[in-house]
Amino acid sequence: MDLSREELFLRIRRDSWQEGLSMRALARKYGVHRRLVREALASPVPRPRKKPVRPSPRLEPFKKTIDEWLLGDLEAPPKQRHTVQRILNRLRQECGAEIAYTTVWDYVSRRRREIAEAAGAAPRAGFVIRHNQPGMDAEVDFGEAWVDLAGERTKCFVFALRLAYSGKAVHRITTSCGQEAFLDGHVHAFRTLGGVPGGQIRYDNLSPAVSRVIHKSRSREEHPRWTEFRQHFGLTPFYCEPGLRGAHEKGGVEGQVGYFRRNYLTPVPRVASLDELNASFAEFERAEEGRRIGMRIRTIGQDFARESVLLMPLPQDSFETGVVFTPRVDRYGMIAVRVCRYSVPARFIGRTVRVVLRSSDLIVFHGRTEIARHPRLTAKGAERVVLDHFLEVLLAKPGAVAGSEALDQARRKGTFTAAHEAFWAAAKKAEGDTEGTKQLVHVLLLHRHLEHRDVIAGIRSALAAGAHAADIVALEARKAAQTDGRSPTVTVTGPAPALPGPEPSEVVSLNARRAGRLPTDQRPLPSLDRWDQLLNLSRKDAP
């Protein structure tokens, strides 16, 4: 009969009390010594067995060395202290010891604690469970993540705002962790949640918010723009202690960033743009609402339903999260913003423009008119050149088209398609490089007023008919739009650009312009013989 000592003691005591068996009878019945019966009758709880001290003759010569290493660890940085594996490796390399890992682990796990206590080291700090009220507190943090963005492995940053009560978290990924991304993440989170937390929002000492940490206090010198932002939304920030000492003060969002990265950004996502990835984040966050945190009874979504109605309302006025710059357009039609260069329409060369740099895009204004918009670049020295911005210049300098950076980027982005290549080749073959390239530029100018798909359809129709004139492409593009029941033109914002060069001295008819570019008419010339017979008839013979 295989019984535990507790069960055996219980049965011995029960038989002695109910059946009145003697000590000898009890020992015989259960097959144990009378000393054990006597112990069971004296106490219902067995005495703990003494663990035998097993000698370790192979480790004995090295115990003093291990103790010295562990004592030195008390003054070493926490991340540079000996692990059991490191101790084992040093014993093998420096002392020639042949010892098993478990032998070293048993000794180190016991001696590390004894040495720390003997040296008077401070005990491990305890933690206090915080009481979170619905609609009040939240936590914010940035985390890193890698994304295959448009075929290139790119380092990105995940902004996370997590409500302390429900655990509802909102995320936004950008290629920057600057102030504009920091502010934009807040605005996105507040709009997603439908309100602003009424209590404290916990931060570490992020540079977009804090300019300087005042020594030995929780006071911070804030960035002026961050102060303006938090006053606009009525935020109450709480700044955690610097370094590892303050990591536990916002442990919820610290773990949230890692959890989100492991579950929704693994494996590395492949997307064409960050807008596509951010759109999928909404689905991820909805899926999280059905999860229970720890041993909670309710789900995140159930707690958030109670919390959402207690959030402060959003302010009616919007807040511009972007940073404003006023660069001058150089002679190449480019502006420089934070070590990156962007193109603007060539007609603004030499002028000062206003730029709003946001977390994911860059918008260029001349006065109140938007003249260009680009996705934000982050790599030092990166350039984004849009072919459409230079068409007026290329019309006057057609020889520069083939080797231009604008054309190369348009090809890589797919805006300059195989249809454009085929039209260009046909036009150059028929009219020469210069005139053929000018026809291509005229076709590219059609994209400003016609849908892209209609222009492509017009190019294909013109090529099928053997034509290589921009006028024919425009006509066929409008016919393609009307066939689909759509308006052939698109809305054009801002004034139409003026073409460079002198005004033409004479008016050229459309027929004359097309004469050399239309395919040869193979039909026979019309015959007027029958009409000539009418000339010989008199009036009285006329019917």
Side-chain angles (χ1 to χ4, degrees):
M1 190 165 43
D2 189 9
L3 299 173
S4 65
R5 288 175 62 85
E6 290 79 4
E7 180 67 19
L8 179 61
F9 273 40
L10 178 62
R11 293 192 179 189
I12 291 175
R13 292 172 64 85
R14 183 185 59 195
D15 291 348
S16 175
W17 177 63
Q18 292 181 352
E19 301 181 12
L21 297 178
S22 64
M23 191 178 300
R24 185 183 299 274
L26 290 171
R28 189 182 304 114
K29 179 178 180 178
Y30 291 103
V32 297
H33 199 277
R34 282 174 292 174
R35 286 193 302 270
L36 185 62
V37 175
R38 187 180 297 108
E39 181 182 346
L41 296 176
S43 172
V45 180
R47 288 180 297 182
R49 292 182 175 179
K50 293 182 180 180
K51 294 183 179 180
V53 180
R54 299 179 181 178
S56 52
R58 292 190 176 183
L59 184 64
E60 194 65 35
F62 311 107
K63 287 183 177 179
K64 184 177 180 180
T65 302
I66 295 175
D67 290 349
E68 292 175 355
W69 293 344
L70 295 177
L71 187 60
D73 280 349
L74 296 177
E75 299 179 359
K79 293 186 177 182
Q80 292 180 254
R81 295 175 182 175
H82 285 83
T83 63
V84 175
Q85 186 62 50
R86 177 57 181 159
I87 291 175
L88 179 61
N89 292 340
R90 290 190 65 182
L91 290 175
R92 290 174 176 175
Q93 295 170 3
E94 301 176 14
C95 306
E98 292 295 335
I99 310 172
Y101 177 87
T102 54
T103 303
V104 179
W105 188 92
D106 290 339
Y107 181 76
V108 170
S109 62
R110 175 175 57 84
R111 287 296 293 161
R112 194 193 298 274
R113 181 176 59 256
E114 294 174 353
I115 290 174
E117 292 175 355
R124 298 181 64 179
F127 297 92
V128 178
I129 299 176
R130 189 175 68 191
H131 174 67
N132 298 309
Q133 297 181 1
M136 296 300 291
D137 295 344
E139 300 168 346
V140 167
D141 198 16
F142 263 117
E144 296 179 359
W146 289 90
V147 177
D148 286 339
L149 183 60
E152 183 178 352
R153 183 66 54 93
T154 306
K155 183 180 180 180
C156 299
F157 300 88
V158 180
F159 172 91
L161 185 145
R162 181 181 184 272
L163 295 177
Y165 175 77
S166 64
K168 170 71 174 178
V170 181
H171 310 81
R172 190 163 185 83
I173 190 166
T174 59
T175 54
S176 166
C177 61
Q179 188 181 67
E180 55 278 5
F182 182 67
L183 302 182
D184 185 61
H186 280 80
V187 174
H188 170 72
F190 296 154
R191 288 175 179 172
T192 302
L193 297 173
V196 180
Q200 296 178 334
I201 301 183
R202 294 176 175 257
Y203 301 91
D204 52 20
N205 300 281
L206 296 169
S207 58
V210 176
S211 300
R212 186 170 67 91
V213 177
I214 299 178
H215 185 57
K216 293 184 179 180
S217 73
R218 288 193 180 273
S219 300
R220 303 291 186 269
E221 184 178 315
E222 294 182 340
H223 194 284
R225 186 164 173 78
W226 164 243
T227 302
E228 181 183 354
F229 178 86
R230 69 175 183 80
Q231 290 175 350
H232 177 83
F233 283 93
L235 307 182
T236 303
F238 176 89
Y239 300 109
C240 302
E241 290 190 66
L244 294 176
R245 292 179 302 166
H248 67 280
E249 295 182 333
K250 58 179 185 66
V253 75
E254 293 276 356
Q256 175 66 33
V257 172
Y259 171 85
F260 193 82
R261 183 169 48 222
R262 291 189 300 272
N263 288 273
Y264 297 109
L265 295 177
T266 303
V268 176
R270 298 181 179 181
V271 293
S273 66
L274 288 183
D275 290 338
E276 176 185 343
L277 185 56
N278 279 317
S280 64
F281 279 9
E283 297 296 328
F284 300 156
E285 289 159 3
R286 274 193 289 271
E288 281 294 296
E289 290 186 357
R291 182 171 65 92
R292 288 180 173 83
I293 299 176
M295 300 179 66
R296 294 185 184 183
I297 299 175
R298 295 179 297 274
T299 64
I300 293 175
Q302 291 170 339
D303 281 338
F304 177 65
R306 179 186 177 190
E307 185 172 29
S308 59
V309 297
L310 300 175
L311 297 173
M312 295 192 306
L314 292 169
Q316 294 182 353
D317 299 334
S318 61
F319 188 92
E320 176 55 64
T321 59
V323 182
V324 179
F325 300 90
T326 55
R328 185 179 179 86
V329 184
D330 64 17
R331 60 179 179 174
Y332 299 101
M334 305 288 288
I335 55 174
V337 179
R338 284 191 176 174
V339 302
C340 296
R341 286 161 52 84
Y342 305 85
S343 68
V344 299
R347 63 184 183 275
F348 295 101
I349 289 176
R351 300 185 183 183
T352 299
V353 295
R354 182 169 58 91
V355 174
V356 178
L357 180 65
R358 294 176 177 168
S359 60
S360 57
D361 58 3
L362 174 142
I363 310 172
V364 186
F365 294 91
H366 183 257
R368 295 185 178 182
T369 304
E370 179 182 328
I371 61 174
R373 182 183 291 259
H374 299 276
R376 176 172 178 164
L377 304 176
T378 54
K380 185 176 181 179
E383 294 183 343
R384 178 171 170 80
V385 186
V386 178
L387 181 59
D388 180 76
H389 292 165
F390 302 94
L391 294 181
E392 290 84 1
V393 176
L394 295 176
L395 192 60
K397 299 179 179 180
V401 173
S404 65
E405 175 66 19
L407 178 62
D408 181 68
Q409 290 197 17
R411 282 171 171 161
R412 285 188 275 120
K413 291 178 173 60
T415 56
F416 193 84
T417 64
H420 294 96
E421 298 278 9
F423 179 87
W424 192 14
K428 288 194 295 184
K429 183 177 180 181
E431 301 190 26
D433 289 350
T434 300
E435 293 301 322
T437 301
K438 286 184 177 181
Q439 286 300 313
L440 171 68
V441 175
H442 281 297
V443 169
L444 294 175
L445 285 167
L446 294 176
H447 286 283
R448 294 181 178 178
H449 310 287
L450 301 174
E451 295 282 355
H452 179 81
R453 55 180 172 175
D454 294 336
V455 176
I456 299 301
I459 292 174
R460 291 170 179 167
S461 298
L463 292 176
H468 46 271
D471 296 330
I472 304 301
V473 174
L475 179 62
E476 294 296 333
R478 285 181 167 84
K479 288 170 60 178
Q482 292 171 353
T483 301
D484 291 343
R486 296 180 286 104
S487 173
T489 58
V490 297
T491 303
V492 179
T493 58
L499 297 180
E503 294 291 333
S505 58
E506 59 179 356
V507 178
V508 180
S509 69
L510 181 61
N511 290 335
R513 184 175 179 180
R514 293 179 179 173
R517 302 183 182 92
L518 291 175
T520 305
D521 192 351
Q522 301 296 334
R523 295 176 297 177
L525 293 174
S527 176
L528 301 178
D529 293 342
R530 294 184 180 181
W531 294 97
D532 291 341
Q533 293 176 5
L534 297 175
L535 299 177
N536 300 325
L537 295 177
S538 61
R539 184 179 297 273
K540 64 180 180 179
D541 296 332

